[in-house]
Amino acid sequence: MAVWIQAQQLQGDALHQMQSLYGQHFPIEVRHYLSHWIESQLWDAIDLENPQEEFKAKRLLDSLIQELQNKAEHQVGEDGFLLKIKLGHYANQLKSTYDRCPLELVRCIKHILYTEQRLVREATNSSSPVGGMLDSMSQKYQQINQAFEELRLLTQDTENDLRKLQHNQEYFIIQYQESLRIQAQLSSLAALPPADRQLREPTLLSKRATVEAWLTREANTLQKYRLDLAEKHQKTLQLLRKQQTIILDDELIQWKRRQQLAGNGGPPEGGLDILQSWCEKLAETIWQNRQQIRRAEHLRQQLPIPGPIEELLNELNSTITDIISALVTSTFIIEKQPPQVLKTQTKFAATVRLLVGGKLNVHMNPPQVKATIISEQQAKALLKNENTRNDSSGEILNNNCVMEYHQTTGTLSAHFRNMSLKRIKRSDRRGAESVTEEKFTILFESQFSVGKCFLDDTVTLTFELHTLSLPVVVIVHGSQDNNATATVLWDNAFAEPGRVPFLVPDKVLWPQLCDAINMKYKAEVQSNRGLSEENLVFLAQKAFSSSSNNPDDYRSMTMTWSQFNRESLPGRNFTFWQWFDGVMELTKKHLKPHWNDGAILGFVNKQQAQDMLMSKPNGTFLLRFSDSEIGGITIAWVAENPNKAGERMVWNLMPYTTKDFSIRSLADRISDLNHLLFLYPDKPKDEVFSKYYTPVQNCLGFEANPDPTSGNPTYMDQGASPAPVNHHHPYNIADPILDAEGEFDLDDTMDVARHVEELLRRPVESQWGGQQS
């Protein structure tokens, strides 16, 4: 949505130009309400000049209409009703306009996006990060497309030269046959009388001399043509290799890196359509040039002329075979990775895809793909080309799949739907390494041949393909998931491209780790609210047992893998990661709306909470994650000390955990505690939490709606409170639920909650004397 947000801020003539892009052909409301969807589609992957791309355009049109209809269905209220009708009308309008010519829709949207980007870029002078990024990306794509155009022109040029060479060679052969005929006539003169021989011989000798002089000259010309053609092919192959390096070693590697980071919760890696279109263009250009080189070789065989051309053609053949081999083997990729934490006896899926499969017509004889699990050591040996064919580290069920060609998308892929790891064979572990630190990988292998259907009728190339999944950690029980996830997180975050499997640094800078855990946190909690600088300082204090509140003090500090998830935190029986993962799990399952609302400070220690609350009115409270318990959150609040008149103190509840929230939600528990009045710093609690309260039902089953401002609690308020409520003296230090340090005892709290639940399940009349709230 970045472009559209900036486009709306345009002013003056730029704004007028932007508005003029829209009309009945594409309403501006569609651009507005579907901005995120529109900007996330790969419009550039569709070649507008290729009629065969129409099915892709039709797919995008159908998706656009579906998105509009979905948006319309979710409109509510009076204004929503009008918008619902409007969006539904636009959906029908776009369908009727572009259904028969979907490529025109693509052309229209591409024009709109390019123009918007240009206007935004000009308005910001590319100074903003987004503007610069868009500029950089469009520049990169433009360079790739320009290189393809240059390759097309070079290939067309060599095709023209080849035809000219063939024409000249054919004429040369005709003249050569003429010289042979003249020579035969001269030889036949010996049988003639001397007078006749003297009469005819000078003419024939003159003709022979002329033809031979022409042949000598033309032979040199043909040799020059052949050398010039070979040099042009060398130039083409040089550019072809450079273009292939950019696409495979830059763009495809970046896609794989994005895929790896997506495993940590990063943004989706993006579709492969544009990469496939580039790879198919490479394959097509390689095919055309290889055919030309083969034809040039055939012409040389027809008319051998001494010189270096034979060696040059052999070199060109070898080079282009290397190029096509690199293209095919590099474009055998894993589109959908298997789960990186892999539990035995559990079904899992994966998809592999050959990006040039359609162009190679591989589907005419569909190859089979086999999946095997191998160890880190076996993966190293495989990449060193050591023979590991029969080695595996376990048994995968349903591990064979035939590649299928999907006509509508033009993709060749194998979708493993029902694989299951039956058993795993572990290696000897080193030192403190646990089973959840041991890495495996799924090896996908295939083999196929490409013959006359792609190259020519005499040469067949056989390709043996393999690709490795991202590292997987195998577990046998759910209790191992936490530590296995830590191994995967560290590997995904800090792996270097082209590494030896599966080496990762043992220590990383703290800011690097912050990026990784923030990415993971936002993805797991499914929130745009990530970890703030204050949150990260709190985590640094916990990780390094430090008391500094200055973020700069941690920027150059490093954290080792052992500190992350091997050594327990001081005075605790859990690691830094185990504590952090517990926070994520609790927030994801029970606290997400409150975290998104900013109601949970969370990453605050006990002393900080006390300092913050003591400057606030009585009844002010905050929510912080427990330091002492994995996956716990506690409520801290300020109130009078009942044992010392005029003195105030901060109280802390024993932590609530998933077990507690499966009985009663956080919002309801806060509602139950009448002594909690203001969420830090000063928001009335009902203003923040009332929308999450569970509606109370009376004996007839109707919802009761007590006035939250009346100060008269319902029986549910009182009954579910973890401590008896006394409005004049709300805290009784002798109460068994409060300990001497001002914390509730968790077991007693749970007993009260269970007792309340039992009460609420009984008929209201018998329990409450017929009273209704």
Side-chain angles (χ1 to χ4, degrees):
M1 218 157 87
V3 181
W4 181 239
I5 288 173
Q6 292 188 97
Q8 293 175 76
Q9 296 169 4
L10 294 171
Q11 296 180 352
D13 185 55
L15 178 62
H16 179 72
Q17 286 184 55
M18 186 271 285
Q19 291 171 334
S20 68
L21 294 169
Y22 299 96
Q24 285 196 340
H25 62 288
F26 198 81
I28 196 168
E29 291 89 342
V30 175
R31 176 69 175 102
H32 180 74
Y33 288 105
L34 297 189
S35 55
H36 179 74
W37 183 88
I38 289 169
E39 290 180 35
S40 65
Q41 305 309 303
L42 294 172
W43 304 101
D44 279 334
I46 296 179
D47 183 1
L48 294 172
E49 307 308 318
N50 184 357
Q52 294 181 349
E53 298 275 74
E54 191 165 299
F55 68 90
K56 289 185 183 177
K58 181 66 165 65
R59 206 149 40 99
L60 279 170
L61 170 63
D62 292 342
S63 298
L64 174 69
I65 291 166
Q66 186 62 52
E67 288 290 325
L68 263 180
Q69 290 171 340
N70 291 344
K71 182 68 74 174
E73 286 171 9
H74 287 89
Q75 302 306 314
V76 294
E78 185 178 342
D79 292 339
F81 174 72
L82 296 174
L83 185 57
K84 182 176 186 175
I85 293 174
K86 206 171 193 179
L87 294 178
H89 169 71
Y90 289 146
N92 294 332
Q93 179 182 316
L94 289 171
K95 182 171 177 60
S96 63
T97 303
Y98 294 111
D99 204 39
R100 294 186 180 180
C101 52
L103 283 171
E104 288 307 308
L105 171 73
V106 177
R107 192 187 305 277
C108 167
I109 293 178
K110 282 173 80 169
H111 172 67
I112 285 171
L113 291 175
Y114 287 153
T115 307
E116 283 181 354
Q117 288 172 13
R118 177 179 60 78
L119 291 170
V120 167
R121 195 162 59 244
E122 289 171 357
T124 59
N125 293 318
S126 299
S127 59
S128 74
V130 173
M133 183 181 71
L134 289 168
D135 189 37
S136 170
M137 188 173 292
S138 59
Q139 217 171 31
K140 188 198 310 176
Y141 286 9
Q142 192 176 2
Q143 287 170 354
I144 290 173
N145 290 331
Q146 282 174 349
F148 272 124
E149 180 60 17
E150 189 177 348
L151 280 167
R152 188 187 69 79
L153 294 173
L154 285 171
T155 304
Q156 185 60 53
D157 188 37
T158 48
E159 176 65 28
N160 294 337
D161 285 358
L162 188 60
R163 287 176 182 171
K164 183 178 177 182
L165 174 63
Q166 184 175 351
H167 174 76
N168 288 356
Q169 183 166 310
E170 287 169 353
Y171 187 66
F172 180 91
I173 290 171
I174 291 170
Q175 292 302 107
Y176 180 71
Q177 293 296 328
E178 175 66 15
S179 75
L180 293 178
R181 190 179 64 78
I182 293 171
Q183 184 59 45
Q185 287 177 339
L186 282 169
S187 299
S188 67
L189 290 180
L192 295 178
D196 290 344
R197 187 169 65 242
Q198 286 175 0
L199 182 66
R200 299 179 61 184
E201 190 173 43
T203 305
L204 288 173
L205 287 172
S206 175
K207 274 187 179 181
R208 186 179 70 175
T210 302
V211 171
E212 285 183 349
W214 184 89
L215 287 174
T216 302
R217 188 172 65 251
E218 193 61 20
N220 290 329
T221 302
L222 285 175
Q223 185 72 309
K224 185 177 183 304
Y225 280 173
R226 288 176 177 181
L227 290 172
D228 288 348
L229 182 61
E231 286 174 4
K232 284 185 177 182
H233 273 128
Q234 282 178 325
K235 182 182 176 183
T236 302
L237 296 194
Q238 191 176 8
L239 180 58
L240 197 53
R241 196 188 283 276
K242 182 182 175 184
Q243 180 82 327
Q244 185 158 295
T245 299
I246 290 170
I247 291 168
L248 299 183
D249 294 355
D250 293 347
E251 297 301 314
L252 186 55
I253 293 295
Q254 285 178 29
W255 181 88
K256 288 181 178 179
R257 179 61 183 148
R258 291 195 300 272
Q259 186 185 54
Q260 193 171 26
L261 289 175
N264 275 5
E269 62 269 31
L272 286 164
D273 290 351
I274 193 162
L275 276 167
Q276 176 164 317
S277 71
W278 287 341
C279 291
E280 287 179 340
K281 281 183 181 179
L282 282 171
E284 196 170 4
T285 309
I286 292 167
W287 170 72
Q288 290 170 341
N289 280 274
R290 195 175 197 283
Q291 289 292 78
Q292 289 179 8
I293 292 166
R294 296 292 294 169
R295 282 159 57 198
E297 196 171 38
H298 183 64
L299 289 175
R300 185 200 64 78
Q301 291 168 351
Q302 272 187 337
L303 184 62
I305 301 174
I309 190 64
E310 183 177 359
E311 189 178 334
L312 277 172
L313 287 172
N314 287 338
E315 187 182 313
L316 288 171
N317 252 319
S318 175
T319 300
I320 204 158
T321 301
D322 287 347
I323 291 174
I324 185 68
S325 296
L327 178 65
V328 175
T329 54
S330 298
T331 54
F332 183 61
I333 61 165
I334 301 172
E335 182 176 10
K336 179 189 175 187
Q337 291 281 341
Q340 287 187 264
V341 177
L342 192 57
K343 189 178 176 188
T344 55
Q345 313 293 334
T346 304
K347 190 173 81 169
F348 68 96
T351 303
V352 294
R353 179 165 160 184
L354 182 61
L355 297 181
V356 293
K359 278 293 177 189
L360 296 181
N361 288 334
V362 176
H363 54 284
M364 303 300 285
N365 186 17
Q368 191 171 74
V369 184
K370 180 182 178 183
T372 315
I373 189 165
I374 63 174
S375 69
E376 185 173 334
Q377 290 302 321
Q378 289 164 342
K380 287 178 185 174
L382 179 70
L383 294 188
K384 289 179 184 174
N385 291 322
E386 296 175 8
N387 186 16
T388 59
R389 284 285 163 229
N390 299 318
D391 290 347
S392 73
S393 290
E395 182 183 351
I396 298 178
L397 303 178
N398 304 317
N399 67 328
N400 285 288
C401 187
V402 175
M403 297 198 91
E404 298 177 16
Y405 184 69
H406 306 276
Q407 189 72 42
T408 53
T409 58
T411 59
L412 182 75
S413 58
H415 185 20
F416 294 84
R417 293 177 175 83
N418 297 296
M419 287 192 288
S420 175
L421 182 58
K422 184 177 179 182
R423 61 177 182 84
I424 190 67
K425 182 171 67 179
R426 298 191 183 275
S427 59
D428 294 332
R429 290 181 294 283
R430 304 178 295 276
E433 190 179 82
S434 67
V435 294
T436 54
E437 293 180 34
E438 186 178 4
K439 300 172 192 172
F440 297 88
T441 180
I442 309 293
L443 166 66
F444 295 94
E445 298 175 283
S446 186
Q447 179 178 318
F448 65 88
S449 297
V450 177
K452 60 184 179 181
C453 61
F454 176 68
L455 299 170
D456 51 47
D457 57 356
T458 58
V459 176
T460 298
L461 291 179
T462 298
F463 297 102
E464 291 189 357
L465 307 179
H466 69 259
T467 187
L468 297 174
S469 76
L470 293 172
V472 299
V473 177
V474 177
I475 64 173
V476 295
H477 193 274
S479 62
Q480 298 172 312
D481 185 81
N482 174 291
N483 293 323
T485 301
T487 301
V488 167
L489 174 83
W490 191 277
D491 193 279
N492 285 345
F494 309 122
E496 294 289 334
R499 63 173 171 173
V500 174
F502 289 107
L503 292 181
V504 282
D506 183 59
K507 61 181 179 180
V508 296
L509 287 169
W510 173 249
Q512 289 178 287
L513 186 62
C514 288
D515 289 342
I517 61 178
N518 185 38
M519 180 185 290
K520 185 71 174 175
Y521 187 86
K522 287 201 292 186
E524 287 295 313
V525 179
Q526 296 178 328
S527 171
N528 289 325
R529 183 192 168 201
L531 302 175
S532 66
E533 188 167 66
E534 291 79 10
N535 298 155
L536 295 172
V537 166
F538 168 86
L539 292 173
Q541 291 171 338
K542 181 176 286 291
F544 300 114
S545 301
S546 168
S547 59
S548 171
N549 288 319
N550 186 355
D552 293 333
D553 291 345
Y554 302 105
R555 297 201 195 284
S556 59
M557 293 182 72
T558 58
M559 190 170 193
T560 65
W561 165 252
S562 291
Q563 287 173 297
F564 183 66
N565 196 46
R566 195 177 276 173
E567 301 167 358
S568 293
L569 291 168
R572 306 296 182 197
N573 62 353
F574 46 79
T575 66
F576 173 84
W577 164 255
Q578 288 166 348
W579 180 88
F580 182 78
D581 187 56
V583 165
M584 282 197 303
E585 279 295 300
L586 181 72
T587 307
K588 174 172 71 174
K589 290 179 179 176
H590 301 288
L591 310 176
K592 182 165 68 174
H594 309 302
W595 173 263
N596 288 338
D597 289 349
I600 297 175
L601 290 179
F603 300 96
V604 178
N605 64 38
K606 201 169 185 178
Q607 185 59 50
Q608 287 173 323
Q610 181 160 324
D611 294 342
M612 293 163 72
L613 290 170
M614 287 301 288
S615 64
K616 298 297 175 183
N618 287 349
T620 304
F621 68 99
L622 60 78
L623 298 157
R624 65 177 187 86
F625 297 122
S626 169
D627 280 317
S628 59
E629 184 161 353
I630 293 179
I633 190 168
T634 187
I635 301 174
W637 75 98
V638 63
E640 297 293 334
N641 183 346
N643 294 331
K644 193 173 287 188
E647 184 179 286
R648 302 194 317 149
M649 63 183 294
V650 172
W651 303 80
N652 291 276
L653 280 179
M654 287 291 283
Y656 292 125
T657 63
T658 288
K659 184 178 178 183
D660 301 303
F661 293 134
S662 63
I663 297 171
R664 191 148 172 78
S665 72
L666 175 66
D668 287 341
R669 289 178 182 277
I670 289 172
S671 173
D672 296 340
L673 299 170
N674 292 330
H675 43 272
L676 303 183
L677 304 176
F678 305 102
L679 177 68
Y680 183 90
D682 54 10
K683 287 188 176 178
K685 74 173 182 182
D686 287 337
E687 182 182 311
V688 180
F689 294 101
S690 62
K691 58 185 173 183
Y692 302 113
Y693 295 162
T694 301
V696 181
Q697 291 188 339
N698 61 21
C699 61
L700 298 176
F702 295 106
E703 290 183 5
N705 296 298
D707 182 359
T709 62
S710 66
N712 298 318
T714 65
Y715 62 79
M716 183 164 299
D717 287 329
Q718 295 180 357
S721 177
V725 176
N726 182 313
H727 291 286
H728 300 290
H729 303 286
Y731 313 109
N732 181 356
I733 202 68
D735 193 288
I737 297 175
L738 276 168
D739 64 16
E741 294 180 1
E743 294 192 342
F744 284 106
D745 180 84
L746 180 61
D747 291 335
D748 288 343
T749 306
M750 297 295 289
D751 287 342
V752 171
R754 279 190 288 271
H755 179 63
V756 169
E757 284 195 311
E758 288 176 14
L759 291 174
L760 294 177
R761 277 196 288 269
R762 297 176 191 171
V764 174
E765 292 86 344
S766 62
Q767 282 296 314
W768 305 98
Q771 294 179 18
Q772 296 182 12
S773 62

